[in-house]
Amino acid sequence: MRDIETSNDGQLDEPLGRVSIISYGSGHMLNDITSSCWFTYLLVFLTDVGLSPGDAAIVMLSGQLADGFTTIFVGELMDRFGHFKLWHAGGSILVAISFSSVFGSCVPCKLMGTNSSTLETVGYSTFATIFNVGWAVTQVAHMSMVNCMSSNPTSRVSLVSCRNAFTMVANLSLYGIALLIFTILQSVNVMFQYRWIAYVSISIGSCFVVIFLVGTKEPGSIRHCVDKSLSRISWTYWFKKVLYYQVALVYTLTRLVTNVSQAFLAFYVINDLEMSQSSKALVPAIIYICSLIVSVILQETRWSSWRLKLYFSAGAVLWILSGLGIVFLPSRMHNLMYAISIIIGAANALMTVTSISMEGVLVGEDLNGCAFVYGSLSFVDKVS
């Protein structure tokens, strides 16, 4: 038995192959592309179908709350029962079905034969909740697999970096799909345009889910990450560790920075810098492309704890410099925003890859608690 355990440990110490890393990274593509569509177009779509801005906000808030609370409970269940790929597949099915319903017509309204605004809000909120529950299940399962797939620090960071690279591809793909549909279907009702964007996004994301499920080996078949023979760690154990709060703070602030750059820069370049309308798409695209390039470069880096801290600090410094540039940039020099976008893209990739990798440092060898850690940190992210 000891010889078998030693052999398994040796397998985990070996660097992962490029195929394994790429197939793992593709597993979050459906989540990423639907998430980008969710934050970019949901509120616009809901107001176009007749909901008031307040009711549309309720729909989005219900989904975010469901996501935040699900991450904690799902993380605990995964620590108990394992089977990350099964959780991932189930969550992906929920995402695909419910997301098409969120951007579809109001199902309860059709069943009840009425178009009551209250019933519409309840109907869309229900599918938004289901979508975010499935999204959270898929996210926690996917993130928790990193520490179970390999104990090699370089391979772990490569997995996270590849995941981040696919996130950038998903965002760019969404904007490409939207541009194509808006161009081809100009004469079609705008609600149908949004629905086609959602349907195409789901189709593409589902293909990548299949690639992940086929190409990625269940971590439990290599090492029993959730071994019932081991004494389980109580969830209260993590709240007694100072490192947990440090990592939570770093991860939350990182997500806050990246979300702000995604959500508000488009409004900034139009309203404050008075740039052309095309810049509203071009500036985010530059950010994502630069993040993608940096993420690919990070895959080839040999990592250590001090390098994680160094690269994260470098990303933070770059963002501070970018923030100063945004604050003091006069509108007459708005073309400099394209250069600032390059810096923002690099900073986002550096901070995102290293902050997620720091979660692996927190979990360490306590692999039977990794899903709860990722779930609770994701909850903090949603609260922010």
Side-chain angles (χ1 to χ4, degrees):
M1 181 65 70
R2 289 181 179 176
D3 291 339
I4 295 174
E5 290 178 354
T6 301
S7 175
N8 289 338
D9 290 339
Q11 282 184 320
L12 284 173
D13 290 334
E14 291 294 325
L16 291 175
R18 196 174 298 273
V19 174
S20 299
I21 293 173
I22 293 176
S23 62
Y24 168 81
S26 66
H28 211 254
M29 186 75 172
L30 177 62
N31 265 24
D32 289 329
I33 198 168
T34 53
S35 175
S36 184
C37 186
W38 167 274
F39 286 109
T40 305
Y41 297 119
L42 179 66
L43 292 177
V44 179
F45 170 78
L46 292 176
T47 53
D48 283 345
V49 298
L51 267 65
S52 67
D55 289 340
I58 290 174
V59 174
M60 177 167 280
L61 179 61
S62 64
Q64 293 300 104
L65 290 175
D67 189 340
F69 285 105
T70 300
T71 51
I72 295 181
F73 296 111
V74 168
E76 179 68 14
L77 290 173
M78 288 183 192
D79 284 335
R80 288 179 180 272
F81 303 109
H83 302 292
F84 296 116
K85 287 179 65 176
L86 185 61
W87 285 97
H88 186 283
S92 298
I93 292 173
L94 287 180
V95 167
I97 295 175
S98 59
F99 193 70
S100 61
S101 300
V102 168
F103 281 88
S105 57
C106 177
V107 176
C109 297
K110 285 187 175 181
L111 296 177
M112 301 295 293
T114 178
N115 289 324
S116 167
S117 60
T118 301
L119 189 59
E120 282 187 326
T121 303
V122 172
Y124 284 115
S125 296
T126 300
F127 284 110
T129 300
I130 296 173
F131 164 70
N132 279 274
V133 168
W135 199 97
V137 170
T138 305
Q139 181 198 38
V140 175
H142 194 255
M143 292 177 66
S144 300
M145 291 177 67
V146 172
N147 282 344
C148 296
M149 290 178 66
S150 176
S151 60
N152 185 289
T154 301
S155 292
R156 285 182 176 180
V157 176
S158 295
L159 290 170
V160 175
S161 182
C162 186
R163 178 185 182 275
N164 188 47
F166 271 99
T167 299
M168 301 304 111
V169 172
N171 282 282
L172 289 173
S173 299
L174 174 72
Y175 291 124
I177 293 168
L179 180 61
L180 187 63
I181 289 178
F182 287 146
T183 302
I184 296 176
L185 303 178
Q186 289 182 355
S187 59
V188 180
N189 187 292
V190 67
M191 291 182 291
F192 288 100
Q193 293 177 351
Y194 291 132
R195 288 170 186 169
W196 272 106
I197 292 172
Y199 297 153
V200 175
S201 299
I202 292 170
S203 300
I204 294 175
S206 298
C207 292
F208 282 95
V209 169
V210 173
I211 293 174
F212 165 79
L213 294 175
V214 173
T216 304
K217 194 172 184 179
E218 173 65 47
S221 62
I222 302 176
R223 179 175 182 179
H224 299 291
C225 299
V226 190
D227 193 339
K228 295 182 180 179
S229 66
L230 297 175
S231 57
R232 296 193 68 259
I233 297 176
S234 171
W235 60 270
T236 58
Y237 162 81
W238 299 105
F239 297 113
K240 299 176 184 178
K241 299 189 69 172
V242 176
L243 183 60
Y244 175 85
Y245 297 98
Q246 293 173 334
V247 173
L249 180 62
V250 168
Y251 181 68
T252 300
L253 293 178
T254 299
R255 294 293 297 171
L256 189 62
V257 167
T258 55
N259 288 342
V260 166
S261 67
Q262 178 181 9
F264 295 109
L265 274 180
F267 298 99
Y268 167 74
V269 297
I270 296 297
N271 298 332
D272 291 356
L273 296 183
E274 300 177 351
M275 300 176 69
S276 62
Q277 289 294 324
S278 61
S279 63
K280 188 167 58 175
L282 189 56
V283 168
I286 293 174
I287 292 174
Y288 289 131
I289 291 172
C290 292
S291 293
L292 174 61
I293 294 173
V294 173
S295 296
V296 172
I297 294 174
L298 290 177
Q299 289 190 62
E300 307 301 326
T301 304
R302 297 190 63 85
W303 291 96
S304 60
S305 59
W306 70 267
R307 280 189 177 177
L308 280 175
K309 297 176 183 178
L310 177 64
Y311 278 64
F312 179 83
S313 300
V317 170
L318 289 176
W319 238 116
I320 292 173
L321 295 176
S322 301
L324 292 174
I326 290 173
V327 171
F328 296 108
L329 182 65
S331 59
R332 66 178 182 275
M333 301 176 63
H334 57 248
N335 286 333
L336 288 177
M337 189 60 208
Y338 294 115
I340 295 176
S341 300
I342 296 174
I343 300 175
I344 291 174
N348 282 352
L350 287 169
M351 294 180 67
T352 301
V353 171
T354 53
S355 65
I356 294 178
S357 299
M358 287 179 188
E359 297 177 23
V361 175
L362 170 62
V363 173
E365 295 302 320
D366 298 326
L367 295 177
N368 59 335
C370 63
F372 173 79
V373 173
Y374 292 131
S376 59
L377 292 179
S378 182
F379 170 74
V380 175
D381 167 33
K382 297 303 176 183
V383 170
S384 68

